Amino acid sequence: MQFSPSTEANLNRSVHQWQKAANPELIEFILERYHAVHRQQLPEAILLARRVEQAHGGEAHCPDGLAEHLTAMFQELESHMMKEEQILFPMLAGESYPQGPIMVMESEHDDHELAVQQILALTDNLRLPSGACGTWRALYQLLGELVADVRAHIELESRVLFVPEEQLAGQCCGSCGG
């Protein structure tokens, strides 16, 4: 995935550094770094999971049911991202703090974490069996990235974007020792 230079520079920003950013800047980053990436990762992961399940179904460590789970997860995540893009993000960019929609998104974040945990359960925490084929290895590498990205996405929204500015004011990033 190719990112714009500004997004590339922002990839290494910490949650605490993002607390100082304006909502429109953070929203743009989330859209490009997470929403666009999830929309690429999940269809690819579904395809790879189907291939692994077709070739290795019934084997001891085959993640049977993974493609179906990823398909459901993608549908839920797509619905969630559309609500953010069409309703919540425009409100937050306008410096409004819509508590009701944020509560809904936070509840859905909990569901996304459960979906991530199900990925880990189906894949034995992404442990490959000995002699796993290239497709299986590619699938688990992609799933590792997806799991990390979904969790980072949720953390950035929950700990920064969805927190009212007055709550963020005065929070120490920890680097000053205070």
Side-chain angles (χ1 to χ4, degrees):
M1 162 130 270
Q2 204 60 306
F3 294 111
S4 70
S6 63
T7 300
E8 192 70 42
N10 288 330
L11 287 175
N12 294 322
R13 287 175 87 168
S14 73
V15 167
H16 294 294
Q17 290 169 318
W18 275 115
Q19 288 174 338
K20 297 176 179 138
N23 279 352
E25 179 187 4
L26 179 53
I27 289 167
E28 180 182 335
F29 174 74
I30 289 170
L31 291 172
E32 189 173 339
R33 172 57 182 93
Y34 295 113
H35 287 207
V37 171
H38 296 329
R39 287 181 172 122
Q40 289 183 339
Q41 289 170 322
L42 278 155
E44 185 178 343
I46 292 165
L47 178 67
L48 291 171
R50 282 190 183 128
R51 288 174 55 193
V52 168
E53 289 179 64
Q54 287 172 354
H56 303 282
E59 291 180 19
H61 297 287
C62 182
D64 291 315
L66 180 61
E68 183 180 333
H69 173 70
L70 292 172
T71 300
M73 181 180 178
F74 186 38
Q75 291 169 346
E76 291 298 317
L77 194 56
E78 181 63 36
S79 171
H80 176 86
M81 292 186 299
M82 291 298 292
K83 286 184 267 188
E84 287 181 338
E85 292 164 8
Q86 294 176 0
I87 299 166
L88 185 57
F89 286 178
M91 295 172 100
L92 290 169
E95 302 303 322
S96 173
Y97 182 78
Q99 187 170 352
I102 287 173
M103 290 174 62
V104 170
M105 294 298 103
E106 291 286 21
S107 174
E108 290 180 8
H109 284 173
D110 293 342
D111 295 339
H112 301 319
E113 175 56 30
L114 292 174
V116 163
Q117 290 174 18
Q118 182 64 19
I119 289 171
L120 297 174
L122 287 167
T123 62
D124 191 27
N125 288 311
L126 301 175
R127 276 193 278 275
L128 287 164
S130 62
C133 69
T135 302
W136 206 333
R137 287 193 303 272
L139 171 62
Y140 280 26
Q141 179 179 341
L142 179 58
L143 290 176
E145 293 168 11
L146 174 67
V147 165
D149 285 349
V150 167
R151 286 178 167 167
H153 178 183
I154 289 170
E155 179 181 23
L156 189 56
E157 288 181 353
S158 296
R159 292 191 49 208
V160 181
L161 186 61
F162 295 172
V163 178
E165 191 173 321
E166 53 275 7
Q167 271 188 330
L168 289 175
Q171 286 189 4
C172 177
C173 68
S175 65
C176 64

